[in-house]
């Protein structure tokens, strides 16, 4: 792990300066911190895209983290729903998202006089369905964490050693990832997902996904939190129905990152 960490620092040093696509998650926060440690704050710019798929709570945390790390931080307004092909929600949804994001960030890089855009791609991602990787390659955007072959568990441990509060932060993905492939993404659906997950987190559950299948909410939590869900099941049902769902279910398999991708191998979505 230490060798990988040293390799990461070498990669960043060779880049000379970077614009970091910064979400405030475990990976991009670690990347931002190391970039500043290696290059200095004046040679690093964090850019966060505020959009329909990015919860307001995450935006506020990203602002706080950037300030705590000492990064220059720029927030830009974007809209995935306005990107042709995105709302149709096929297997290439993440390509449209990342392509739109990098189309916004690369001009900022040039305008500010930076040489590179980097993002929080990690080694784990290379074994998953990640069409956003293609968009990154097309725009010349690099993933230093992946290049150093760093995995999520290693990034969490290194983040802990660097005293980053995100070392134990639950993994997060955009709200659109909660909506079943082939089902059109709308602002209404994104809003009910955000409200539902924030409500369940308010019950003391750290890791939660409210997967959306039309009118059905399929709740994913860690196995140890299932009892909490069942204890509060009536209250949860009532609130999620107020948010717009007709049926509320608990997935007994528990939280699985990228669980919506299971259907891709068996469908033409």
């Amino acid at each position: 792990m230490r060798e990988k960490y040293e390799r990461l620092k070498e990669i960043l040093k060779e880049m000379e300066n970077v614009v970091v696509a910064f979400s405030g998650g475990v990976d991009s926060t670690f990347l931002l911190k190391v970039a500043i440690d290696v290059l200095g704050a004046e040679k690093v710019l964090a850019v966060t895209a505020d959009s329909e798929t990015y919860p307001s709570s995450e935006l506020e945390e990203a602002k706080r983290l950037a300030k705590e790390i000492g990064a220059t931080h720029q927030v830009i307004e974007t809209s995935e729903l306005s990107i042709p092909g995105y709302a149709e929600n096929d297997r290439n949804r993440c390509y449209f998202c990342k392509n739109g994001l990098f189309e916004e960030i690369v001009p900022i890089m040039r305008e500010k006089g930076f040489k590179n855009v980097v993002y929080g791609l990690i080694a784990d991602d290379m074994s998953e369905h990640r069409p956003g990787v293609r968009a990154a390659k097309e725009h010349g955007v690099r993933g230093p964490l992946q290049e150093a072959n760093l995995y999520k568990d290693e990034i969490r441990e290194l983040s802990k050693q660097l005293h980053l509060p995100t070392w134990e932060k639950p993994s997060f993905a955009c709200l659109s990832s909660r909506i079943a492939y082939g089902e059109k993404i709308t602002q209404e659906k994104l809003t009910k997902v955000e409200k539902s997950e924030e409500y369940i987190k308010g019950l003391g559950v750290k890791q939660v996904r409210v997967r959306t299948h039309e009118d059905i909410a399929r709740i994913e939590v860690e196995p140890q939190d299932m009892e909490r869900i069942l204890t509060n099941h009536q209250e949860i049902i009532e609130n999620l129905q107020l948010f717009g769902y007709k049926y509320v279910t608990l997935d007994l398999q528990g939280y699985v990152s990228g669980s919506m991708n299971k259907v891709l191998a068996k469908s033409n979505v």
Side-chain angles (χ1 to χ4, degrees):
M1 183 176 69
R2 298 305 302 183
E3 290 181 2
K4 294 181 181 182
Y5 181 47
E6 292 304 318
R7 175 58 184 149
L8 172 63
K9 292 195 287 186
E10 290 174 7
I11 291 169
L12 289 168
K13 187 175 182 179
E14 290 168 1
M15 288 184 175
E16 297 183 8
N17 56 54
V18 295
V19 175
V20 180
F22 178 61
S23 69
V26 177
D27 306 320
S28 65
T29 299
F30 174 69
L31 178 58
L32 179 62
K33 167 63 175 172
V34 179
I36 287 179
D37 287 349
V38 171
L39 300 172
E42 70 281 0
K43 294 185 178 180
V44 179
L45 172 65
V47 177
T48 300
D50 182 21
S51 72
E52 312 96 332
T53 69
Y54 189 55
S56 56
S57 59
E58 291 292 320
L59 175 61
E60 292 309 308
E61 184 166 6
K63 291 178 180 178
R64 179 182 62 77
L65 287 167
K67 183 177 181 180
E68 184 176 313
I69 293 171
T72 301
H73 188 206
Q74 181 174 345
V75 178
I76 60 174
E77 299 292 331
T78 62
S79 173
E80 282 93 347
L81 293 182
S82 67
I83 299 172
Y86 182 87
E88 284 67 28
N89 197 20
D90 67 13
R91 64 174 59 235
N92 292 311
R93 180 195 68 230
C94 289
Y95 169 81
F96 296 121
C97 174
K98 284 292 189 290
N99 186 61
L101 174 64
F102 298 142
E103 283 182 344
E104 295 287 341
I105 295 182
V106 169
I108 293 174
M109 174 197 73
R110 293 170 179 154
E111 177 189 341
K112 302 287 186 180
F114 285 81
K115 296 180 179 180
N116 305 276
V117 174
V118 296
Y119 75 126
L121 183 72
I122 62 176
D124 308 65
D125 297 333
M126 304 313 289
S127 61
E128 300 180 5
H129 177 66
R130 296 280 179 171
V133 174
R134 176 162 59 94
K137 289 180 179 178
E138 291 175 357
H139 288 278
V141 174
R142 293 174 61 180
L145 302 178
Q146 183 272 324
E147 292 178 25
N149 200 35
L150 280 163
Y151 286 82
K152 178 72 78 173
D153 288 346
E154 295 171 323
I155 292 167
R156 287 189 184 279
E157 177 57 32
L158 289 167
S159 295
K160 184 178 182 180
Q161 293 177 19
L162 291 174
H163 306 293
L164 291 171
T166 48
W167 77 269
E168 59 179 347
K169 181 178 180 178
S171 296
F172 178 78
C174 79
L175 295 174
S176 294
S177 68
R178 320 299 201 260
I179 301 172
Y181 285 108
E183 183 179 335
K184 189 175 179 64
I185 300 172
T186 65
Q187 181 63 66
E188 180 183 6
K189 291 174 185 176
L190 295 171
T191 298
K192 72 179 181 180
V193 168
E194 181 176 4
K195 287 182 177 179
S196 298
E197 291 188 355
E198 288 298 323
Y199 171 74
I200 293 173
K201 288 177 184 176
L203 298 174
V205 177
K206 286 188 175 182
Q207 185 67 275
V208 59
R209 296 288 187 270
V210 177
R211 309 292 189 186
T212 299
H213 304 262
E214 298 292 351
D215 294 327
I216 301 172
R218 176 169 59 88
I219 300 172
E220 293 182 10
V221 296
E222 301 283 4
Q224 64 267 24
D225 287 322
M226 288 186 181
E227 184 176 351
R228 189 185 300 270
I229 298 296
L230 294 173
T231 299
N232 295 280
H233 75 278
Q234 191 58 48
E235 182 182 342
I236 292 172
I237 290 170
E238 291 173 358
N239 279 277
L240 266 62
Q241 287 180 339
L242 283 175
F243 298 149
Y245 292 103
K246 288 184 180 179
Y247 305 100
V248 180
T249 68
L250 174 63
D251 192 325
L252 297 181
Q253 188 174 10
Y255 165 70
V256 177
S257 176
S259 67
M260 287 297 200
N261 293 338
K262 290 181 179 180
V263 304
L264 293 179
K266 301 178 181 180
S267 72
N268 295 317
V269 175

